[in-house]
Amino acid sequence: MILCTKLLKVKKEEESIDRLAKKISKYLVKINNLSLTDDQHKLLNHLFYTVSDIERMGDHAENIAELAEFKVQNNVAFSDAAQKEVEGIMTYVTNSMDYAIKSRSEMSWEYVQKAKEYEDLVDYVESELREKHIERLITNKCQPSSGVVFLDLLSNLERISDHADNIVGYVKKEL
């Protein structure tokens, strides 16, 4: 029951993100039709891309919620090691995303650098966790059914961090 409530919340939040992305994009189109400088057009393009990246983050969050639902409904269990690994990489992804948003809102080079550091860490850790998980599968320390869920989860988390990196890339060009 708790999982259903959380899944519904994620789906509602994702729908809200989609609605806001459409409204913001529509507004940016109106602004784009004004007489703007080249720098202002560049900023608008970056804002369009940022909105798109945030919308895609929402899509990946929804994918993660669906994986959690599948995991529960199909009694898929992660080993203690895998569970700790997921919690660790989720912290890095969250930090990457938080710093990317802060870099945009505050136009801060410090936040750009922190977001980039976390994104690089996510890329490294994601690769390491894939290898560790495959080793657990090979040595029968993990159920094969958990393999697909674990690897899909890692892919979605890594993609969220990639979108955060895109956002800081736009901010870097503006600083």
Side-chain angles (χ1 to χ4, degrees):
M1 185 64 173
I2 292 172
L3 179 66
C4 289
T5 303
K6 289 186 179 195
L7 182 61
L8 286 174
K9 183 178 179 185
V10 170
K11 287 183 180 275
K12 284 183 182 181
E13 291 292 328
E14 206 287 318
E15 289 170 3
S16 179
I17 291 169
D18 287 347
R19 279 193 306 280
L20 286 170
K22 286 177 187 173
K23 287 180 181 182
I24 293 168
S25 294
K26 188 176 179 179
Y27 183 72
L28 291 174
V29 167
K30 286 182 182 180
I31 294 173
N32 196 46
N33 289 328
L34 301 174
S35 179
L36 303 173
T37 67
D38 288 342
D39 284 343
Q40 290 169 327
H41 277 290
K42 183 171 89 173
L43 173 61
L44 272 176
N45 283 341
H46 292 168
L47 291 174
F48 272 117
Y49 297 142
T50 297
V51 168
S52 176
D53 281 306
I54 292 170
E55 191 278 327
R56 290 295 298 136
M57 288 176 177
D59 292 344
H60 291 294
E62 185 175 30
N63 291 346
I64 290 167
E66 290 169 355
L67 286 169
E69 179 183 41
F70 176 86
K71 187 175 177 280
V72 169
Q73 289 177 346
N74 293 282
N75 296 317
V76 174
F78 285 171
S79 66
D80 288 342
Q83 186 61 42
K84 287 179 185 174
E85 291 167 353
V86 166
E87 291 168 8
I89 195 170
M90 286 181 84
T91 299
Y92 298 149
V93 171
T94 300
N95 288 338
S96 173
M97 193 171 72
D98 287 347
Y99 282 120
I101 299 301
K102 286 178 182 178
S103 77
R104 164 56 62 205
S105 66
E106 298 185 27
M107 295 304 292
S108 165
W109 184 254
E110 177 186 352
Y111 290 146
V112 165
Q113 290 176 309
K114 286 184 182 234
K116 184 65 178 151
E117 288 171 15
Y118 277 107
E119 202 285 325
D120 289 344
L121 190 55
V122 168
D123 286 346
Y124 174 78
V125 169
E126 187 259 353
S127 176
E128 292 292 310
L129 296 185
R130 280 183 181 280
E131 288 181 30
K132 286 181 180 181
H133 192 69
I134 290 168
E135 182 64 27
R136 282 192 296 267
L137 288 169
I138 291 169
T139 59
N140 293 317
K141 293 179 182 173
C142 199
Q143 301 173 5
S145 60
S146 69
V148 173
V149 174
F150 186 84
L151 296 175
D152 281 354
L153 177 58
L154 287 181
S155 292
N156 279 281
L157 290 169
E158 196 274 333
R159 290 298 296 138
I160 289 171
S161 186
D162 284 346
H163 289 293
D165 190 52
N166 291 345
I167 292 169
V168 297
Y170 314 136
V171 173
K172 274 173 53 174
K173 292 176 183 177
E174 296 164 27
L175 291 174

